[in-house]
Amino acid sequence: MTSEVQAVPDLVQEQLERSRERVTRHAGRAIHWREWQGESGKCVPLVALHGGHGSWLHWLRNVDALGQSYRVLLPDMPGFGASDDFDELPQRDPARLDLLVQGLCLGIGELLGDEPFHLIGFSFGGLIAGLVAQRMPRIRTLTLLGSAGHGFRRASEVPMRNWREFEGKEREAVLRENLEAFMLANPADETACWIHAQSCALTRFYSKSYSRKALLDDALAGVSAPVFMLWGENDVTAEPVKAAEYLAQNRPEREWMIVPSAGHWVQYDAAPTVNVLLVYWLSQH
């Protein structure tokens, strides 16, 4: 995954070299995964799903912390990143969502067999993680970061500029502007800008129509595993406390926290804090 304008950032290159590429197939389409085996012998598996307009790179600043204790598997979901799209179906065909979830469930089964695993999802990937968890009851835990699918109004409707209408430096500037307005509470560094530009260019799955619907609550009704939910304090895609309280429903196995001074891409924006929270919470389950 390279850019015509910028070289691959050092941290991205390091993680590409440390990981192993795996490929699973569903409906004739390839799903690409990056795998880190972990540092302490036979590790419990952990699968993390990226957001819309994303790829495995949404977890770039978290994989080292998680990889110390877990076997980490990060897919590019179908229609994103290096994975194939279901391009025989119209862009807004409802069947696409089911095919995506099926493909991930079958891929997890192929890579992990019947082994229980931790499941994490960010943004659109949070909704998908809920749907995967509903079909795969052997999950150990479910963690949702800035999850979509809650159905509540957004904290603010950020106007997004169409980066495809620009070229060169102007395109880079528009992508950075969108990234800082929608994804981050803090200024975007060059690595975040590179990830966002690559991910946008390789996104073919239209996730927005699903992310805005109230689909997650029904999915969670079929999940008995412990659930942990995190939102950035300044996440523009939700009113974090309202969404968290609604999805938690005062159930003791559903915990939530708000991360101060962080935006929607909370695991990048506040990586040190989120890494500590994730590692601690997962270690308790």
Side-chain angles (χ1 to χ4, degrees):
M1 200 183 291
T2 59
S3 169
E4 296 179 0
V5 179
Q6 298 173 300
V8 177
D10 290 344
L11 184 55
V12 175
Q13 189 60 44
E14 289 171 13
Q15 295 300 352
L16 286 170
E17 292 172 359
R18 291 175 186 170
S19 61
R20 174 187 179 190
E21 184 175 24
R22 307 290 298 271
V23 179
T24 60
R25 293 187 175 274
H26 175 57
R29 300 293 187 266
I31 302 175
H32 289 254
W33 305 68
R34 305 304 307 187
E35 179 182 11
W36 291 257
Q37 284 288 349
E39 299 178 2
S40 55
K42 183 174 172 57
C43 295
V44 172
L46 181 153
V47 175
L49 308 180
H50 60 77
H53 288 83
S55 68
W56 72 268
L57 291 164
H58 271 168
W59 304 101
L60 183 68
R61 297 189 67 191
N62 318 107
V63 69
D64 278 346
L66 296 171
Q68 292 178 23
S69 302
Y70 301 97
R71 176 189 171 194
V72 178
L73 286 158
L74 307 181
D76 286 350
M77 295 191 290
F80 299 89
S83 294
D84 292 339
D85 187 27
F86 301 112
D87 47 16
E88 74 278 9
L89 294 175
Q91 187 59 249
R92 298 171 190 262
D93 191 322
R96 282 174 156 268
L97 184 66
D98 191 57
L99 281 171
L100 186 151
V101 175
Q102 284 180 27
L104 291 172
C105 290
L106 291 171
I108 291 168
E110 181 177 333
L111 295 171
L112 300 183
D114 294 328
E115 190 173 0
F117 62 97
H118 296 288
L119 180 60
I120 304 178
F122 162 58
S123 191
F124 173 63
L127 170 59
I128 299 303
L131 295 170
V132 170
Q134 188 180 41
R135 300 186 189 194
M136 304 188 80
R138 70 175 185 275
I139 65 166
R140 291 173 178 263
T141 63
L142 174 63
T143 304
L144 307 175
L145 282 67
S147 187
H150 49 76
F152 286 96
R153 73 177 184 88
R154 297 183 169 213
S156 64
E157 291 292 341
V158 179
M160 306 294 285
R161 298 174 68 191
N162 187 353
W163 57 269
R164 295 178 182 84
E165 296 176 354
F166 302 88
E167 297 293 339
K169 293 296 182 182
E170 285 185 292
R171 174 176 287 190
E172 290 179 29
V174 170
L175 283 165
R176 180 189 287 269
E177 180 183 311
N178 289 346
L179 175 64
E180 292 184 336
F182 184 77
M183 296 281 278
L184 300 172
N186 299 292
D189 61 27
E190 295 306 312
T191 300
C193 291
W194 188 91
I195 290 170
H196 187 59
Q198 297 297 306
S199 297
C200 286
L202 293 172
T203 293
R204 290 138 288 146
F205 190 102
Y206 188 78
S207 60
K208 186 175 181 179
S209 60
Y210 304 110
S211 294
R212 294 273 186 128
K213 295 178 180 177
L215 301 174
L216 185 56
D217 186 42
D218 286 345
L220 292 180
V223 177
S224 59
V227 178
F228 185 38
M229 296 177 282
L230 288 176
W231 272 273
E233 178 185 25
N234 301 313
D235 190 335
V236 300
T237 72
E239 293 180 332
V241 172
K242 182 180 289 187
E245 288 179 340
Y246 172 72
L247 293 171
Q249 297 180 351
N250 290 317
R251 292 173 58 167
E253 76 277 14
R254 296 185 185 180
E255 302 177 63
W256 60 271
M257 292 185 67
I258 306 299
V259 180
S261 304
H264 180 54
W265 190 7
V266 62
Q267 75 271 27
Y268 193 97
D269 215 7
T273 299
V274 170
N275 288 340
V276 169
L277 290 172
L278 290 180
V279 170
Y280 176 76
W281 189 81
L282 291 169
S283 72
Q284 305 304 302
H285 300 85

